Amino acid sequence: FSDSERGLRDGLSLYAACLQQPNQNNAHIYSMRLFFLSAVSKGIRNHWTKLDLPFRESLKSASLDLVLNGTKDACVEPRYIKEKAVEIVVEIAKREWPSQWVNFLTSLKEISSKGETQAELFLKIVRRLSEDASNSDFNVALPGRRRLEIMNGLQSGVKDFFLPMFYAFLERSFSVLPSS
């Protein structure tokens, strides 16, 4: 492995180890998780082009697993941990989606149906990705052509992914209300 791959792999491994700690609500554990997530995010931003294709694919999978299993219940998990997990997925998506990560939205949609935390992270990912792609002042590191590709991918996903998910959410929400 290259130094970049080793650092990213170590960061993800150490993050996973923190999740296995018996006293996960300890502030020290939260600080360590934030540090490891920050290291992985920085590694993706700074070394993505140096990573080989199989490792990139494993990072895509690991980022989705982070959304699915790497966070606790929405009410318990600190916001800064959730935001850092979202940042990792978005940083990869900005580099790979839609052309080289064609199942990104499909995978996210499946994950979002697993629970409230995953649905919240899905919405945060879409929000952040659209913010980064739509405003050149917000993210000057993303070239205009790349922003356009991402916006086109998001626009095509509205009909297929976002609207059905939104309608399903409304149906669930209103089904729990008492009828008058």
Side-chain angles (χ1 to χ4, degrees):
F1 299 117
S2 69
D3 289 340
S4 302
E5 289 177 12
R6 193 176 353 256
L8 287 168
R9 194 176 303 274
D10 291 347
L12 287 171
S13 298
L14 291 168
Y15 181 80
C18 285
L19 285 176
Q20 304 305 319
Q21 294 299 314
N23 186 9
Q24 291 183 19
N25 292 330
N26 181 335
H28 180 68
I29 296 295
Y30 285 131
S31 297
M32 288 179 10
R33 288 174 62 206
L34 179 63
F35 174 78
F36 296 134
L37 289 174
S38 297
V40 169
S41 178
K42 185 175 181 179
I44 290 167
R45 275 193 314 275
N46 296 333
H47 302 291
W48 187 257
T49 57
K50 298 174 190 168
L51 303 175
D52 63 15
L53 187 59
F55 190 67
R56 287 181 187 186
E57 293 300 319
S58 70
L59 280 175
K60 289 178 198 177
S61 178
S63 73
L64 294 177
D65 188 55
L66 178 63
V67 173
L68 181 61
N69 300 312
T71 53
K72 295 185 248 176
D73 185 50
C75 298
V76 176
E77 188 74 89
R79 186 176 65 111
Y80 58 88
I81 297 287
K82 291 186 281 190
E83 288 295 333
K84 199 52 80 168
V86 164
E87 180 180 309
I88 289 171
V89 176
V90 169
E91 287 300 325
I92 295 173
K94 287 188 321 190
R95 287 155 177 77
E96 296 285 300
W97 181 74
S99 58
Q100 296 168 338
W101 196 2
V102 293
N103 66 341
F104 173 64
L105 286 180
T106 306
S107 299
L108 276 180
K109 183 181 177 194
E110 289 174 18
I111 290 170
S112 71
S113 67
K114 303 295 182 191
E116 291 179 17
T117 303
Q118 290 77 19
E120 176 188 6
L121 292 176
F122 169 79
L123 293 172
K124 287 178 180 279
I125 289 166
V126 171
R127 180 209 70 216
R128 182 136 181 205
L129 191 56
S130 65
E131 285 174 350
D132 284 4
S134 64
N135 188 348
S136 61
D137 294 333
F138 186 75
N139 187 357
V140 294
L142 199 58
R145 182 169 181 232
R146 188 70 193 117
R147 282 196 308 269
L148 183 61
E149 290 173 0
I150 292 170
M151 286 306 297
N152 287 339
L154 286 170
Q155 288 172 352
S156 69
V158 168
K159 184 180 84 175
D160 298 331
F161 299 102
F162 307 130
L163 288 178
M165 186 179 161
F166 179 69
Y167 291 140
F169 173 74
L170 286 176
E171 286 175 0
R172 277 195 315 265
S173 297
F174 285 110
S175 69
V176 296
L177 293 175
S179 58
S180 46

